[in-house]
Amino acid sequence: MAETVSDVFIETIMGWGVDTIFGIPGDGVNGVIEALRTRQDKIKFVQVRHEEAAAFMACAYAKYTGKLGCCLATSGPGAIHLLNGLYDAKCDQAPVLAILGQTFSDLKGSHFQQDVNLARLFDDVSVYVQELANPNQIEMLANEACRHSLNHRGVSAVIMPIDYQLAEPSGKYSMHKGRENTTSNWTRPVLVPAAGELQKAATILNAAKKPVMLVGQGALGAGDEVIALAEKLGSPVVKALLGKAVIPDDSPYTTCGLGLLGTAPSEDVMKECDAILFVGTSFPYMEFLPKHDKCPGVQIDDMPDRIGLRYPVEVGLVGDAKATLAALTELIDRKDERPLLESAQKGMKDWWELMEQRAMRDRTPIVPQRVAWELGKLAADNAIVSGDSGTNTTWVARQFKIRKDQKFSCSGTLATMAPGLPYSIAAKVAFPDRQSIAFVGDGGFTMLMGEFATAVKYGLDITVVMIKNNVLGQIKWEQIVFLGVPEYAVELHDIDFAKFAEACGGVGITVRDPNDLKPALERALSCGKAALVEVYVDPNEPPMPGHVTMSQARKFGEALVKGQPQGARIALTAFRDKISELI
């Protein structure tokens, strides 16, 4: 049988390493679905319940594997639903290919059913977006889309009208690109800055008495190099959220996270340092960074336009994190005196004692910190942990102690709700032999909860651990702490999520007593099925920053005075556990 446009397209993207596509069939992509059906022994299609989840899964697949993630949606509303997940990929620099159906080519612009200008709609989210205008274009478009996504770590979109998908390309497919030239062995180039630039950076770092490193997701896979440089510099290593897995949380060199969900020692070292090295991060909260007039900066990033984006640096090293760190370390003199690191290590000893003390309070409702703390001890050494957005992010960032071979990700820059469950599904599809855990809140989970049925359908034994407080917690605390007003419109209706999980065919467990928490987590992690553990936690436990400012304390008090519901309980919890530190 003659090859169709869809056949050529699927064969071409397979040549670029695409082995899994997440999506929903529809009449706008039926030709592509047929090409997938006839190749189901070579490429996996995962049917989801919502296109937004498909895009999240493609994003997570790219993040966790380093390969090209791929999602598919039909014309009109199907394609529109992909956008939030694709913006997640754009913001976190994950290479994703979106395959979009389109109405008949000769009916476009006639207000026909599902006639949407997808090229214009996807222009902002994509590094490459093209609509097929001629069947002979298809191989070229497929190659260009894959090349752009991988080279620029972004989203590419190929729009395919219905009538072209089953057409048969003629001749040699395109005038300037033949089938035999499809690139199937693409690898990311390893860039190392020039020796002179490395020496400039080394001079700044060698002169510093209290250097600090801030590492992000660009340093993933370079943990050994980060530690080697930190050892010579005598430098604490602060981790941006997406860089949580760069080095273990119990490393003697790290002060863990920074910012509203970071640690007090991380804030302290940023105030005391006299030089800073950024590695693979565009950490956005500049108020937590040092004062530049007292702290010269060096930055390593493989994207030139990221150099100096958040902080004016003296030296920008454009290069691969792993190779550049190794080359830079050769030029660094080992510091015998390391006052900032020693101070940070003492601070972290006290911090972890405080975190355990807060987590292990025997209270009902259960304190949310305990859920992450207990889970961290029970998770497998190579577990993949997917976070969501909300107060749950604070608890997993702080209380889940990540180990060397574990992976972690979430929606970092976009910080959208709902990706935790889809991320965990993608992780399990990519690594079926590894434990996959979603750490979510009840608000974010509800948005795409139908994907739990997807996990059951494909026999994916993911574990969903839910912080259940029946409130949009992050928004609640933003209203109270940053605006100084009582919470409003954040209360959620109580859903029996355990019964929902069971109705889908999985395991559902409800926990209300702290003594039942550990056994419930153990059961969920070992049951061999998709499992959900909903843990009723105290909705009045505030996710306060490492250090509370006077402004935050004042706003907090203003909200209580204005009639914050449960104000007395909140005040008791917060002032006992956190604000008393300010005093």
Side-chain angles (χ1 to χ4, degrees):
M1 187 175 77
E3 284 190 312
T4 67
V5 161
S6 297
D7 291 325
V8 174
F9 181 80
I10 296 301
E11 287 287 343
T12 303
I13 66 173
M14 286 169 56
W16 286 88
V18 174
D19 55 17
T20 304
I21 298 176
F22 304 93
I24 299 179
D27 61 348
V29 285
N30 275 342
V32 179
I33 292 295
E34 173 60 13
L36 291 172
R37 184 190 69 81
T38 57
R39 292 167 177 79
Q40 56 189 294
D41 58 332
K42 300 178 182 177
I43 185 169
K44 183 182 297 182
F45 180 73
V46 178
Q47 178 217 61
V48 302
R49 294 299 182 109
H50 196 292
E51 290 91 353
E52 182 181 3
F56 280 136
M57 292 177 194
C59 176
Y61 198 85
K63 284 182 174 184
Y64 288 136
T65 66
K67 297 192 292 187
L68 185 60
C70 189
C71 55
L72 172 149
T74 190
S75 54
I80 294 168
H81 283 162
L82 290 174
L83 281 172
N84 193 47
L86 294 180
Y87 269 103
D88 185 38
K90 174 187 177 177
C91 292
D92 284 352
Q93 302 178 62
V96 170
L97 171 64
I99 306 168
L100 311 176
Q102 179 58 290
T103 191
F104 296 92
S105 59
D106 59 342
L107 291 176
K108 282 186 58 188
S110 68
H111 305 291
F112 193 70
Q113 186 180 33
Q114 298 188 342
D115 180 9
V116 174
N117 189 334
L118 296 180
R120 179 180 295 178
L121 186 65
F122 279 74
D123 182 63
D124 180 65
V125 77
S126 305
V127 295
Y128 181 86
V129 55
Q130 289 292 328
E131 181 166 339
L132 184 67
N134 184 307
N136 291 329
Q137 279 183 298
I138 191 58
E139 189 192 34
M140 180 270 290
L141 290 186
N143 279 314
E144 287 299 290
C146 295
R147 183 178 293 111
H148 277 74
S149 281
L150 290 166
N151 285 337
H152 300 285
R153 291 203 304 272
V155 175
S156 285
V158 175
I159 304 165
M160 301 173 66
I162 298 170
D163 47 324
Y164 289 156
Q165 292 175 31
L166 293 178
E168 297 176 9
S170 61
K172 295 183 177 179
Y173 303 97
S174 72
M175 294 177 64
H176 61 88
K177 186 71 177 174
R179 288 294 300 279
E180 66 276 12
N181 294 324
T182 297
T183 303
S184 58
N185 58 351
W186 181 92
T187 55
R188 183 170 297 284
V190 177
L191 304 175
V192 181
E197 294 303 302
L198 288 168
Q199 187 57 62
K200 290 179 185 177
T203 299
I204 292 173
L205 297 173
N206 282 329
K209 295 181 179 180
K210 295 181 177 181
V212 68
M213 297 170 64
L214 177 59
V215 303
Q217 71 167 348
L220 291 172
D224 291 343
E225 288 74 16
V226 167
I227 290 175
L229 181 54
E231 159 58 24
K232 292 189 78 172
L233 282 174
S235 167
V237 178
V238 181
K239 300 188 289 184
L241 180 59
L242 291 181
K244 180 175 174 68
V246 171
I247 61 176
D249 278 341
D250 63 358
S251 166
Y253 295 99
T254 188
T255 57
C256 297
L258 181 65
L260 293 176
L261 39 66
T263 70
S266 287
E267 291 189 43
D268 293 338
V269 298
M270 286 294 174
K271 293 174 182 175
E272 298 176 29
C273 64
D274 59 2
I276 182 168
L277 171 62
F278 299 89
V279 185
T281 180
S282 296
F283 182 80
Y285 305 108
M286 294 172 281
E287 65 270 25
F288 289 96
L289 298 178
K291 302 297 182 184
H292 178 253
D293 58 349
K294 298 179 181 179
C295 185
V298 175
Q299 184 174 354
I300 298 173
D301 204 292
D302 64 355
M303 289 192 171
D305 59 351
R306 299 272 170 163
I307 300 292
L309 177 64
R310 309 291 186 204
Y311 191 89
V313 295
E314 277 61 34
V315 180
L317 301 176
V318 179
D320 172 78
K322 187 178 181 73
T324 303
L325 284 168
L328 180 60
T329 302
E330 293 293 321
L331 304 175
I332 297 298
D333 302 323
R334 189 184 187 281
K335 299 182 189 298
D336 294 323
E337 296 183 5
R338 41 192 68 199
L340 189 59
L341 178 59
E342 291 170 359
S343 173
Q345 288 171 338
K346 181 179 183 303
M348 284 306 293
K349 181 177 181 296
D350 294 340
W351 177 262
W352 283 123
E353 289 176 357
L354 179 62
M355 292 300 99
E356 183 173 17
Q357 175 189 333
R358 288 187 180 165
M360 298 310 292
R361 287 169 289 172
D362 235 2
R363 272 198 353 224
T364 303
I366 300 168
V367 292
Q369 295 96 319
R370 184 163 185 164
V371 186
W373 187 265
E374 296 277 21
L375 180 64
K377 291 188 291 185
L378 295 173
D381 288 339
N382 66 347
I384 304 173
V385 182
S386 301
D388 213 295
S389 294
T391 55
N392 57 88
T393 318
T394 300
W395 314 132
V396 75
R398 282 184 179 163
Q399 261 80 20
F400 187 100
K401 270 186 158 182
I402 201 159
R403 302 195 286 278
K404 183 176 182 180
D405 293 325
Q406 292 175 337
K407 291 177 181 282
F408 171 83
S409 195
C410 63
S411 176
T413 308
L414 188 63
T416 178
M417 295 171 69
L421 174 60
Y423 268 41
S424 68
I425 290 173
K428 193 66 181 180
V429 170
F431 300 98
D433 297 328
R434 296 178 68 166
Q435 199 176 67
S436 180
I437 301 168
F439 194 89
V440 304
D442 46 356
F445 178 82
T446 307
M447 291 181 174
L448 290 172
M449 62 194 290
E451 300 310 327
F452 191 83
T454 301
V456 173
K457 173 181 177 178
Y458 288 99
L460 305 176
D461 56 334
I462 64 168
T463 300
V464 179
V465 179
M466 178 189 292
I467 298 294
K468 186 175 183 181
N469 50 22
N470 291 322
V471 69
L472 297 172
Q474 189 69 27
I475 301 169
K476 164 183 174 170
W477 294 111
E478 287 169 349
Q479 290 173 350
I480 294 173
V481 177
F482 296 110
L483 295 181
V485 298
E487 65 180 80
Y488 179 69
V490 294
E491 190 173 333
L492 298 175
H493 174 67
D494 191 0
I495 298 173
D496 191 331
F497 290 105
K499 284 187 177 178
F500 165 77
E502 292 172 354
C504 290
V507 173
I509 307 171
T510 300
V511 179
R512 296 178 183 269
D513 188 310
N515 296 317
D516 297 333
L517 178 59
K518 182 179 178 182
L521 293 174
E522 289 175 330
R523 178 188 167 200
L525 291 168
S526 62
C527 70
K529 299 177 67 176
L532 184 149
V533 182
E534 57 171 354
V535 185
Y536 278 84
V537 301
D538 189 350
N540 297 317
E541 183 73 19
M544 303 295 270
H547 286 304
V548 180
T549 67
M550 286 300 298
S551 173
Q552 289 165 342
R554 184 175 64 252
K555 294 292 187 183
F556 191 97
E558 290 173 1
L560 300 186
V561 170
K562 291 177 182 178
Q564 164 63 31
Q566 296 292 315
R569 174 60 191 267
I570 292 173
L572 176 64
T573 301
F575 278 85
R576 179 181 59 202
D577 296 339
K578 193 65 189 165
I579 295 183
S580 59
E581 295 178 20
L582 184 65
I583 300 172

